[in-house]
Amino acid sequence: IKSPRHEQQDYCAIAFPLAGDDYLVALVADGISSVKHAADASRLAGESFVAEVRKQIEKGGKLDLKKVVQIVNVYLVAESRRKTRELQREAVNTGQYGVDFESPAFDYETQMPTTFTGIVIKDRKILSAHLGDSRLYLLSHGLLTQMTTDETVAEESRARGEIDIEPKDEVTLTNWLGGKGAAPVIDEYEAVAGDTWLLVSDGVHSVLADDELKDLAVILQKALK
């Protein structure tokens, strides 16, 4: 859905096995809006994550979710470098020898960063991967629990006991997919019948309070039953 401010930069997916095995993949990614290709970054991250999970599982091997995320990150970084080379060639071919390839303006044209939260449900286990400030929630026995920690300047400041936090710190990421320093947080949980897992970007959790998110999750839970 297109917003008044910019094109939609979130991407979500639910995927099932192509054949054979029994598993489910769910994810949400939110392209960082300060770059030109934010929507492409979230979409490519989601599509390549699903593809890599399928490749690992359907080859019969053990799923290594950290490796999956690392492969997706390499893909996004490579795509960013490809865009860089294209713009460099264009600059040379058109005689723009004064272009600053280290400038923020050039980064805007080439970078492919996105937040990412994804889960794989398999063998009564739930594996999760998280980077940035998209979130994973668990609704269990009427209690909604946030299972991920926002990787922002604000949250790091709070963890150090600081209270002087500026509004921009709430949206300034310290970790994301599509960068050289990407560091996924991988967790594992037991899959319990009746539990509902909710994946949302900051476009949801920044405007809905936890009570509202819980009400939404309960409605979804009842609809699924």
Side-chain angles (χ1 to χ4, degrees):
I1 300 172
K2 198 166 186 177
S3 75
R5 185 166 65 92
H6 52 58
E7 68 174 350
Q8 179 60 269
Q9 296 163 337
D10 294 4
Y11 179 87
C12 63
I14 296 176
F16 301 92
L18 295 177
D21 216 321
D22 184 20
Y23 63 90
L24 179 144
V25 185
L27 64 95
V28 62
D30 180 10
I32 297 174
S33 59
S34 59
V35 301
K36 180 178 181 180
H37 300 286
D40 291 335
S42 61
R43 176 182 56 81
L44 290 173
E47 291 175 349
S48 55
F49 181 80
V50 170
E52 288 300 326
V53 168
R54 280 176 168 164
K55 186 184 298 183
Q56 280 200 17
I57 292 179
E58 295 181 9
K59 278 185 175 180
K62 182 180 179 181
L63 177 63
D64 184 342
L65 203 60
K66 184 175 182 178
K67 184 177 180 181
V68 168
V69 176
Q70 288 172 339
I71 290 171
V72 173
N73 192 65
V74 167
Y75 177 60
L76 289 177
V77 171
E79 183 66 12
S80 173
R81 288 173 177 167
R82 184 186 66 79
K83 292 180 183 299
T84 298
R85 290 193 297 269
E86 284 183 354
L87 289 178
Q88 287 173 335
R89 284 195 297 268
E90 181 181 341
V92 171
N93 292 337
T94 56
Q96 301 177 55
Y97 296 105
V99 175
D100 181 5
F101 296 120
E102 303 299 325
S103 69
F106 195 77
D107 279 346
Y108 174 79
E109 296 289 340
T110 59
Q111 297 303 305
M112 301 284 288
T114 181
T115 71
F116 185 89
T117 300
I119 62 172
V120 180
I121 304 175
K122 185 179 186 300
D123 299 330
R124 302 191 64 80
K125 299 287 185 181
I126 294 176
L127 295 173
S128 70
H130 171 72
L131 302 96
D133 64 354
S134 291
R135 291 180 182 176
L136 176 65
Y137 288 89
L138 168 62
L139 178 65
S140 182
H141 301 290
L143 179 66
L144 184 71
T145 304
Q146 183 180 330
M147 308 302 288
T148 54
T149 300
D150 294 347
E151 296 179 307
T152 63
V153 171
E155 286 302 315
E156 288 195 356
S157 298
R158 291 189 184 100
R160 294 192 296 267
E162 299 175 12
I163 58 174
D164 186 16
I165 298 172
E166 298 182 12
K168 66 180 178 65
D169 294 340
E170 300 286 356
V171 295
T172 302
L173 298 176
T174 57
N175 189 27
W176 58 87
L177 194 60
K180 294 179 181 179
V185 177
I186 307 296
D187 287 305
E188 181 178 310
Y189 309 96
E190 293 290 331
V192 178
D195 284 353
T196 296
W197 294 84
L198 182 66
L199 296 90
V200 298
S201 71
D202 70 334
V204 175
H205 67 71
S206 65
V207 296
L208 294 180
D210 281 356
D211 285 346
E212 293 174 302
L213 279 172
K214 178 183 175 181
D215 290 343
L216 175 62
V218 169
I219 290 171
L220 292 171
Q221 192 178 60
K222 289 180 179 178
L224 291 171
K225 289 180 179 179

